[in-house]
Every structure is written in C-alpha cells, then in structure tokens.
Amino acid sequence: MGSDRARISYDQTQKYRAVVAQQGRVTLEADLNEAQQIASEELREETLDFVGASGTPDNGYEVISAAQPFDFATRAGTMYVGGVRAFSTKAIEYSNQLDWLDRVGDPLWVDLNEFANALSAQELVYLLLREQEVSAVEDSALLEKALGGPDTTQRLRLIQHIVRLQTKGENCSWALDEAIEIWRAKQGLELDRSTLQLLSSATLKVSFSPPTTPADLCEPEARSGYLGAENQLIRVQISGTNQLVWGFDNAAFLYRAEVVSNQILRLKSRPVDDFHRPRANQAVEILRSAAQLNNQEYIAAATGLVTTLTAPYNPDTREVSLAAGLSTEYLDQKETPRLFLRVWEEAIPFTPGVAVTLGQTGLQVTLQTINNQPFHIGDYWQIAVRPGEPTEVYPPRYLEAPQPPNGPRLWACPLAVIGWKDRRLSVIEDCRHPFDSLVDLTRRNQGGCCTVTVRPEDLTPERTLQSILDRFASRNRPNRDHITICLMPGIYQLPQSLQLGPQHSNFTLQGCGDGAELQAAPGKEVNFLHGLIVLNRANYVTLRNLRFQLPIVPFVKAGGILTPFPGSRRPEISRGEQLNFGERFQKTLRVSIGIRPLHCALLAVENCLFRFAIEKTINLFAVGIFAGSECWELQLVNNRFLRDEEYLITQEKTTENEQRFLLGYLLSPSLIPTKEPRQFNIVPSLLQDAVIRDNRFTGLTTAMLILADTGMVRLESNTVLQCISGFLLTPIELGELLGANIETALLGFLFPLPESFDERELAQKYEENVQNIPGIDRLSLSLHASANDIDTQVTEGAQVLSGPGLVVAGNKRQNPDRRRERGNRDRLTTSSVLLTANKFRNHIPTENKNNFLGTVSISDVERCTVTGNLILNESPGEAAISLVMSKISASSVTGNIFHGRPQPPLPDLLNTTIIS
C-alpha cells in the first residue's frame, strides 16, 4: 500500500548516478529512497542491456499441463521482464495462484467452469507483474515490537499473475498484437515492446483554485495556492470509471478489519490519534486479500470497494459503518481470508479535461487520457505540498505539464500460445526467450571447454554427428584426453543410432542451453531399434543438456526377434499366468528407446529430457534409458522423463492383445539362445555405486525397474508423478519379480542385444530353471533413499490400477543345497536399506487376497531402517497396506506417518511385518 513519505524526489530525467551524504546534515527518508531507486533503476537498465526485454536462464515459466481440464501450470524458475527479475520456487497452477487471491470479480480472470464449453479455444498466456508496497499492517513481521506500536519501513514486492487471454493468433507475434489492442481499448494501457512495461495513457496536471473575493473589504485578502497548515504528500488515485479518490499522508493509513455485518466493520487496531480517526462522510476503500506471503500473512489488494462512512469511528467498539453493503466475495473467508480498510479524504467524480478541486486544500487536478482511452483503475499520483511555499508543488513538473502516473508499474511478458483439443493442452508456440550464462557462452568458443561446437546446419549426409564423434575417437588421440562435443540449440535429425564404443571413452556430448534435440530422421525409424544413442563398453561418458524425442520403431521391420522361453509356458513367475509374446504380438510391437548403455562404467546423464510419444492401438515398449550387463558408478541427475500424451486417462490395455510399457530407466539381464536345444546363455545385470538424484518421472508405467545384482544405490530428491509404479529394485532371479511388472521385465529380459555387442566373456550358462542363475552373490545391496516424492496415484479418470511406490528385494547367497526345506533357505547377504524423509502415495486396491503388495515393500535384506517418511495407501478397499517388510533380520521403523486400513492375518508369509 501507500507509504507515509514527505516527498518523491527521484526524477529519471535528471540522470543522477548516486546520492552523496554530507557531514552534519539532516537526512530525510526521501534521500534514502532516492538512493535506492537510483541504484535499482541503474541495475534494471543494465539488465535490459544484457538480457533484452525478456528472457529465462533456467527454463522458468514454461507452460505445462495440470491435473484439471482446461487448467495449466508454469514451471518453477526465473524470468527477466523489462530488466526486473521475477522468480517462482515451485510450479504455479493457473487455478491456484497465491498471488491472485482476489481473482473472483477480476475481469482478467477466466473461470475454468465457464471455459469448459470452449473445446478448441486458443489462448495467449502471459505473465503480468505489478509492483506494490507492503506495510506492517499486512505483514506483521515488519513491525518492531520494541517500538511499542509505530511501524518503520515498508517493502516493495512484485505481484505475479499468470493470465490467459483468448486469441485468434496462431503465433506469439499475432497473439501479442491482439492483446495490445485489448489493453489499449479496455484498460488504457500501452505496451512498450522494448521493455514490456505497460504504460498508462492517463495524465494529471496540478493547478490552484482561484482566490475568492472577500465579502467584507476589512477581511484579509484570500490567497491562492495550498491552503493547508501541514506539510503533506497528497495521493490521487483512479478508483473507477471517471472517479477518483484522494487522501493525505499518501493514503498510507490502512487497518486490518473484521466483518460484523455487511455494512459494519471492526478495526483490529486503533487510529494513532484523534485527527486520524475516520469521520462521517469520509471516503474509505475496502480491500480484499490479494496475495499470500510465505509466512501466511496477506497483502492487501491494490484497489477495492470505495464507499463513505455513515457515522464517525466508534472508539469504544472500534467499528465503522459503511454506506454501501459488501458483496459476497468480501464476506466469504475462503475468497477473502483477510479484509483491510484504507482511509481516503474524498471520492470525487470527474470529467476528463475539467479541473476538480481537492477539498479545502486549494489544489485542483485535471485528468485526461490520450485519444480518450479509458482510465486505468489503480493509477496514482503523489503530490507534495508545503505551507511555507503555497504556490509550489513537488515535483514542480506537475504545474508545468500533464504528468503520467507514479504507479503502479506494470509489466506483461508473453509465455506461450496454447490450444485445447479434447480437453488436452497443446503448446502452439513458446513465446519465451531462453538465454545462456556467460560461462555457457564461453564454452561455445573452441578455445573454451568445448573441443568442437556443432550446429544443426553444419551437418550434411557426408558430415554426420557420428563422423564427428569418430574423428575424436581414442585411436586418433593417443593421450586419451577428454573430448567435449557441444551441440548448439536446434534439432539434430539422425540417420541411425549414434554408436559409442570403447574408443569413445572419456567423451562428453552436451547441448548448449536447453535446446539441442536428437530425433530420428523421418523415414529412418527402422535404424533405431536400440535407441538414439547406443553405448557399447564406453566408459566415462557424459550426456548433458540434451533432449531426446524417442522414435517409434516397428519391432519386426527393424529386425527384432524376442527370444522364446523353453517350453510352451513361461516359468512360475507370477501366479502361473500365461504370457503371450507370440508372432502377432511381435508384429504389432513398437519399440521406443532413448539411450542403450551396455557394460558401461562412469556413465553420467545430466539435465536431459526424454519425451515419450504414443500411438494408439499398438503394443508399445518405450524406455528412456535401457541398460544391460554391468553398470558401475552410474550418475542420473536432474533428468525429466515425460510422456507426450496423457495415455493413462484411457485404459492402458485398450484390447486384450494391446499393451503399453513406458519406463524411465530399465536395467535387466539379457537372454541369448544357443544352438543346443532348450539351453540359453544369460548376460547378468549389475548395478553398483549409482546416484539417482533430482529426476522427474511423469505419466509412465514404471519410473525405474532395476532387475539386477545391486550394490550401493542412492535415490535422492526424485519426483514420480502420475506413474503406475515407482522404483522397483529386485535381484535377477525372475522368481522375485512382481506380478504387475512381469511383462515389462520379461520384455527387457528377452529383448535382443545389438549385433555389435560381444557377450561371450560375459554370458553364463542358463538352463530351463530360471532360478538357477549363477554369479549373483558378488554384491551386497546398500540402498539409501531420501527426500523422494513418489505419487503413483494415477490421474483422475484413468482406468489403470495404481502400483507400489517402492519395492526393494535384497540379493541372497545361494545355499549349495537348493532344496526348499524349512530351515535350509537361501542366506541373506549383509544388505541394508535406509529410507529417510520420503513421501510415498498410491492407491493399490487389495480386493485380490493374493496381492500383498504395499505402498512400500522391502524383503530379503539383513538390516532395514525406515524413518521420517510419509507413506500413504489411499485405497478405499478393506485392506490398504502402507508398508510390507518381509524376511528381514533386523529393522527399525520410527517417526513415520502411515495411512491405510487393517490387514487380516497372512499365515502364508513367514517373518513378515505389515503396517496399514
């Protein structure tokens, strides 16, 4: 709100660089404010020079889908608008904006229910910023209690609104032109394209009322000019169509109020003195809550309902009576959690171009707009007057010519043009301008961190990305220096998979910024059976800042054959069910893989985006990263695994023979047929020293399925949203697999290896009994999962079942005698599991009495600690299991929050703990 000041001394046209203090002089608050504003405006101008009108360094404010129909969100991050830095620490949903609590009744607000009829509407989404002062009345943390009541300074804050505007424009430029016309015609605002500042067309000029001739010549002659007895800062503000309000003390007197009735309010605090007690017929403005601060306090709206008082302030009850009643949104605490009252002197109607007298001050103001445009409600001017110089005002320019308003300062930044089809969001054009830091810009130079910089236009049929990688292979660099290939933003269409072998070790392939996208060239999809990038024994490889548009590859046409299991039935893996991977399934199967690492160490995938495309009525096996054989010191950091369409809204299995399997990361053994009947070789899988941190998985079947001999693994701060199941870590015996994921695991198990992969030294003999897989007792599982947010409760309206959030099964050392007599079971390794500060949420129905899976399931480990987690199974069924721990030697479960329903006894499970 307005701050109680003596004057506004900052004048941009003076071009001052700083305020210089002198010894022994009195310092006014105007000097400090001007010093701050000079520095602030200098920084804003410099930022404009560097960034331009707008830009984001971290993909902030990207328009993304939200849960509700016709709703959307903007991604957390930073956006510079007109040299001002706006930021959000978390995604902002349009329908739930904490900076737009007073949206009901706002003409810029679009209600989702009213929008539901527009099934194919196009909209411009833009970020609207408003600069607003915040007082101690609004944020009590600004009040120094030791002073016994008086406040000190105020704060300046940006109020952010994500606004949607229907448009016919098919691109950002067209849509912005339409928005400019609407702002000009309806709000009286003009957009400065160079700064994206919305400038008001209104102006104000100050004059003095002419002196009146006294009736008696003996009386003193009336003087012209300011007639008040005190130094004042008068605020004039547009409060409605051709209506203004004005007040002393910059209209800084604001009170928290509570509703007694729709025409009576009780002030939470008392006026500072008798002079400031609200009077009968005095104008006041009732303000709703506009924004919620992080400390749960509220900022008052910039404008509200202007009315007058029918009676003076009652000091006994602290009540004021309003001439006009309050509407519903003012009385509803959900719509208005906190109410404020602002004190003015008068509310005056005016005619543009005609002078209006401000009470008994002797001042007149003349308001008008350019080309008779409407006045923008909320525009204000601050005029300082002094009784010692009654014919002067500050700043003096108010007397010389009409002046634009002092505020509020507004900026509008286009974010995207979006469309809706069948209630689904599509981003027609992204209007944001990403930019790189100086460090990233330096890397583009060949003398910097990049060994070579590549642009999409640099590639030709002869000079491919593969040929550039091969040029720097180790056979051509005897010292094996680390090579960094930098890809400039753009789309790189590959004729075939990029192949990185041992000679490509010590390689980094990275995008500059966040716009280097790898795709399969149109018509070349059959060349990508094993993914966009295949790493075959390539060590110390880093893939960073890349986007992978996963190709959809016809499995059979690409030369794929699923290895059959011996016999007509698969092993007893999931309650003896049949699994049909027959000829018809394979002919309709489509494969979609991003990266295929095989027997790699020190692989790092950082800040990459994996986009899953979906075709209807097909069998789809899609994996962002499909690993095989041994994987040492894996680093998966800050990646995103996203499906393009919300396929979970419909049934996952559209017909009996159509299945879809979407995984972010899959590590599984590989089965290899031999010439001998009913005998196979297997390439076991292994994961050791892995760090999986800050990744996001959205809309997949399973976020991660690790079917491997597992050692040290750290899962930290990952997010799983709208996936059927979360993280599954199981040993490589197929008998330990989960029924809900057996098809996915078996597809990975039977999926062919690339012809270039030499498995002879890695393969081990495998016979018909799947349980007899040798070589699985080398590692001891050590899992540390912390600060993960795993929500496998699928989108509302989906027809698929929700699966577990986390399943962990430790490795077992096999006894020489494989017989299953009681007391002769496999021995546990010295494995351990530590779960701390995670959030798990799912919706597993448990009507099937053979299904004992919980939200979190842990088995076959020696030591287990579960502490400080939120584990919720929100199934409405009779038995909703939150945590299952089975075959654990020592465990500790402390400080967790569980949600579920009681589970009946499970006599078939030994040494099992169920927490519902």
Side-chain angles (χ1 to χ4, degrees):
M1 303 308 300
S3 51
D4 189 9
R5 308 190 196 184
R7 60 182 289 190
I8 307 297
S9 60
Y10 175 74
D11 187 349
Q12 187 177 8
T13 61
Q14 297 296 88
K15 301 180 181 178
Y16 289 137
R17 292 272 301 148
V19 172
V20 181
Q22 301 185 82
Q23 68 172 347
R25 307 309 199 270
V26 175
T27 300
L28 299 178
E29 97 288 337
D31 300 320
L32 301 178
N33 290 334
E34 183 174 354
Q36 175 66 33
Q37 198 158 359
I38 288 173
S40 176
E41 288 303 298
E42 184 73 13
L43 177 60
R44 189 176 71 88
E45 294 291 341
E46 291 176 355
T47 306
L48 270 170
D49 293 338
F50 295 142
V51 177
S54 68
T56 173
D58 54 10
N59 200 35
Y61 293 86
E62 178 187 13
V63 176
I64 56 178
S65 298
Q68 296 187 66
F70 301 113
D71 198 5
F72 61 84
T74 56
R75 193 180 301 281
T78 305
M79 178 67 73
Y80 288 89
V81 183
V84 176
R85 182 177 183 266
F87 66 95
S88 176
T89 56
K90 60 182 180 180
I92 303 174
E93 288 188 353
Y94 174 80
S95 61
N96 185 29
Q97 300 186 48
L98 296 182
D99 271 17
W100 203 352
L101 301 180
D102 57 340
R103 50 185 173 265
V104 175
D106 192 327
L108 297 181
W109 172 255
V110 177
D111 188 88
L112 297 187
N113 296 325
E114 297 176 0
F115 190 78
N117 296 324
L119 298 179
S120 301
Q122 287 183 179
E123 298 178 283
L124 171 67
V125 178
Y126 65 92
L127 172 64
L128 179 63
L129 302 176
R130 182 179 78 245
E131 206 171 49
Q132 182 169 325
E133 291 185 19
V134 180
S135 68
V137 175
E138 298 155 279
D139 183 6
S140 59
L142 302 180
L143 192 65
E144 175 52 65
K145 302 295 184 181
L147 296 179
D151 59 350
T152 55
T153 58
Q154 296 195 168
R155 302 294 185 267
L156 200 60
R157 190 181 189 275
L158 282 179
I159 304 297
Q160 305 183 38
H161 290 177
I162 306 299
V163 188
R164 59 199 304 172
L165 178 66
Q166 289 202 21
T167 179
K168 296 179 181 178
E170 297 179 354
N171 55 50
C172 296
S173 178
W174 185 356
L176 182 59
D177 289 340
E178 286 188 355
I180 290 174
E181 291 299 321
I182 293 174
W183 293 330
R184 181 184 296 127
K186 293 187 176 181
Q187 300 182 52
L189 298 173
E190 192 72 37
L191 182 71
D192 183 347
R193 291 178 182 267
S194 63
T195 64
L196 295 183
Q197 187 169 356
L198 287 169
L199 302 173
S200 175
S201 63
T203 60
L204 178 145
K205 188 175 186 296
V206 176
S207 60
F208 298 109
S209 301
T212 59
T213 302
D216 187 349
L217 296 178
C218 295
E219 293 181 3
E221 182 178 355
R223 61 188 176 94
S224 176
Y226 173 56
L227 304 180
E230 295 180 341
N231 298 328
Q232 280 289 353
L233 181 63
I234 295 175
R235 185 185 186 99
V236 178
Q237 182 167 307
I238 304 297
S239 59
T241 303
N242 292 351
Q243 186 179 44
L244 64 82
V245 287
W246 72 273
F248 293 120
D249 301 313
N250 198 24
F253 282 88
L254 182 73
Y255 301 90
R256 293 189 186 185
E258 61 183 10
V259 175
V260 178
S261 69
N262 70 333
Q263 287 187 265
I264 299 178
L265 299 180
R266 181 179 294 112
L267 306 185
K268 292 292 188 69
S269 59
R270 299 181 184 275
V272 295
D273 52 37
D274 291 344
F275 177 77
H276 288 93
R277 288 182 178 181
R279 308 180 305 273
N281 300 319
Q282 187 174 10
V284 294
E285 188 174 17
I286 316 304
L287 303 172
R288 300 171 60 198
S289 305
Q292 185 178 22
L293 295 168
N294 190 58
N295 61 357
Q296 310 305 310
E297 297 276 42
Y298 294 92
I299 299 175
T303 60
L305 172 66
V306 175
T307 184
T308 58
L309 300 182
T310 60
Y313 167 78
N314 187 329
D316 296 327
T317 62
R318 301 201 308 274
E319 293 177 356
V320 293
S321 300
L322 310 178
L326 300 177
S327 55
T328 304
E329 61 268 20
Y330 284 82
L331 303 174
D332 188 347
Q333 283 197 342
K334 292 183 179 179
E335 299 290 345
T336 306
R338 185 169 293 164
L339 203 62
F340 299 89
L341 182 139
R342 189 180 191 183
V343 179
W344 297 91
E345 285 296 312
E346 284 186 293
I348 309 175
F350 67 88
T351 301
V354 178
V356 174
T357 301
L358 304 183
Q360 303 300 317
T361 63
L363 270 63
Q364 292 181 330
V365 293
T366 303
L367 291 157
Q368 55 190 0
T369 59
I370 301 172
N371 298 325
N372 294 320
Q373 294 177 21
F375 286 89
H376 178 250
I377 296 176
D379 284 350
Y380 62 84
W381 292 260
Q382 297 160 311
I383 308 161
V385 288
R386 304 287 182 259
E389 295 179 311
T391 58
E392 298 291 335
V393 300
Y394 300 94
R397 61 178 183 272
Y398 278 114
L399 293 173
E400 300 167 359
Q403 298 298 314
N406 293 113
R409 292 203 295 181
L410 304 169
W411 292 270
C413 175
L415 300 179
V417 176
I418 64 174
W420 300 93
K421 187 174 182 181
D422 298 329
R423 296 174 177 265
R424 296 184 182 179
L425 170 70
S426 63
V427 177
I428 299 173
E429 185 175 2
D430 191 338
C431 307
R432 300 168 307 137
H433 302 288
F435 68 90
D436 294 332
S437 66
L438 291 177
V439 174
D440 293 330
L441 290 172
T442 304
R443 287 176 178 170
R444 295 183 181 180
N445 300 325
Q446 299 215 6
C449 297
C450 299
T451 306
V452 63
T453 302
V454 182
R455 297 169 176 80
E457 56 269 24
D458 296 337
L459 302 181
T460 65
E462 295 75 28
R463 187 173 187 262
T464 63
L465 194 54
Q466 181 70 59
S467 67
I468 295 174
L469 294 173
D470 293 340
R471 188 169 55 136
F472 294 93
S474 60
R475 57 178 176 269
N476 298 323
R477 50 186 176 102
N479 295 328
R480 296 181 65 84
D481 295 329
H482 196 93
I483 299 298
T484 300
I485 308 295
C486 295
L487 304 182
M488 298 293 287
I491 296 176
Y492 295 80
Q493 294 185 341
L494 307 177
Q496 60 185 11
S497 302
L498 288 179
Q499 302 287 333
L500 278 68
Q503 69 275 18
H504 297 97
S505 296
N506 300 316
F507 252 74
T508 293
L509 182 65
Q510 70 178 21
C512 294
D514 194 24
E517 179 170 311
L518 301 182
Q519 296 181 358
K524 302 288 187 180
E525 288 82 1
V526 293
N527 298 331
F528 293 85
L529 176 63
H530 297 284
L532 292 167
I533 300 180
V534 178
L535 297 99
N536 183 355
R537 301 172 187 261
N539 300 325
Y540 199 17
V541 172
T542 299
L543 304 174
R544 182 186 298 123
N545 294 348
L546 299 173
R547 296 188 177 190
F548 295 89
Q549 184 63 52
L550 273 60
I552 296 182
V553 183
F555 181 67
V556 174
K557 289 185 179 180
I561 300 175
L562 292 178
T563 303
F565 267 105
S568 59
R569 292 175 60 89
R570 65 181 174 93
E572 300 295 327
I573 301 169
S574 179
R575 301 179 297 280
E577 302 151 338
Q578 292 285 350
L579 184 67
N580 182 12
F581 287 150
E583 182 179 356
R584 182 181 181 279
F585 176 87
Q586 297 193 43
K587 284 184 177 180
T588 60
L589 177 62
R590 300 292 186 271
V591 176
S592 187
I593 300 173
I595 304 173
R596 184 84 158 106
L598 301 168
H599 204 76
C600 296
L602 295 162
L603 171 64
V605 183
E606 302 171 356
N607 197 31
C608 290
L609 171 64
F610 297 84
R611 286 194 177 275
F612 294 75
I614 296 177
E615 291 182 1
K616 296 182 179 179
T617 66
I618 64 168
N619 296 305
L620 180 64
F621 178 63
V623 188
I625 303 175
F626 183 10
S629 188
E630 297 183 1
C631 185
W632 296 86
E633 297 191 41
L634 172 68
Q635 299 273 335
L636 295 184
V637 179
N638 199 30
N639 300 290
R640 292 169 290 162
F641 300 83
L642 309 175
R643 45 97 172 95
D644 278 349
E645 300 179 18
E646 294 184 356
Y647 84 104
L648 293 173
I649 293 179
T650 59
Q651 288 187 349
E652 190 195 20
K653 298 183 179 180
T654 55
T655 68
E656 183 178 357
N657 296 315
E658 291 167 2
Q659 305 176 72
R660 293 174 181 166
F661 312 96
L662 276 64
L663 297 93
Y665 179 86
L666 171 62
L667 173 60
S668 73
S670 300
L671 196 65
I672 306 168
T674 65
K675 296 181 179 179
E676 301 179 21
R678 304 179 67 82
Q679 291 191 6
F680 296 79
N681 290 333
I682 185 173
V683 177
S685 50
L686 177 146
L687 181 66
Q688 171 68 313
D689 292 333
V691 175
I692 301 165
R693 184 177 67 244
D694 293 324
N695 299 286
R696 184 179 181 88
F697 305 83
T698 304
L700 308 180
T701 307
T702 301
M704 297 188 72
L705 176 56
I706 298 173
L707 180 62
D709 182 26
T710 307
M712 174 71 73
V713 177
R714 300 185 70 88
L715 301 176
E716 299 172 349
S717 303
N718 299 285
T719 301
V720 177
L721 183 64
Q722 296 180 7
C723 294
I724 298 176
S725 55
F727 294 91
L728 312 179
L729 294 85
T730 72
I732 62 178
E733 302 109 315
L734 291 181
E736 302 293 335
L737 287 177
L738 301 175
N741 290 274
I742 181 59
E743 291 89 349
T744 306
L746 204 55
L747 267 170
F749 193 75
L750 303 179
F751 199 88
L753 289 165
E755 294 182 358
S756 59
F757 184 72
D758 186 359
E759 77 284 349
R760 287 174 295 180
E761 66 177 87
L762 302 172
Q764 302 178 27
K765 187 177 181 181
Y766 164 84
E767 296 180 350
E768 189 168 348
N769 186 352
V770 181
Q771 303 290 343
N772 292 322
I773 300 176
I776 66 168
D777 57 348
R778 292 170 293 171
L779 295 180
S780 180
L781 170 68
S782 178
L783 172 67
H784 182 193
S786 62
N788 298 285
D789 188 347
I790 301 176
D791 186 346
T792 57
Q793 182 152 313
V794 185
T795 308
E796 182 178 356
Q799 301 298 317
V800 296
L801 300 179
S802 179
L806 177 67
V807 175
V808 181
N811 307 317
K812 295 182 292 187
R813 299 184 185 278
Q814 295 174 353
N815 285 325
D817 186 356
R818 294 289 297 179
R819 292 176 300 174
R820 294 295 185 178
E821 295 91 353
R822 186 180 298 272
N824 196 26
R825 299 179 180 274
D826 292 343
R827 294 177 292 110
L828 301 179
T829 64
T830 56
S831 53
S832 63
V833 173
L834 174 61
L835 304 185
T836 58
N838 300 282
K839 176 184 176 183
F840 302 93
R841 178 173 178 259
N842 72 345
H843 191 112
I844 299 182
T846 53
E847 286 76 13
N848 185 346
K849 300 303 181 182
N850 292 322
N851 183 5
F852 299 126
L853 285 178
T855 304
V856 175
S857 298
I858 306 171
S859 64
D860 295 307
V861 297
E862 185 174 14
R863 294 181 296 274
C864 177
T865 300
V866 182
T867 181
N869 300 280
L870 179 63
I871 305 178
L872 308 176
N873 187 337
E874 299 185 346
S875 169
E878 295 182 357
I881 305 173
S882 296
L883 174 63
V884 175
M885 297 192 300
S886 175
K887 302 176 185 176
I888 298 176
S889 299
S891 64
S892 174
V893 180
T894 59
N896 302 280
I897 297 177
F898 300 97
H899 180 271
R901 285 179 165 80
Q903 169 69 29
L906 305 175
D908 295 332
L909 295 180
L910 298 177
N911 189 22
T912 300
T913 299
I914 303 288
I915 296 180
S916 299

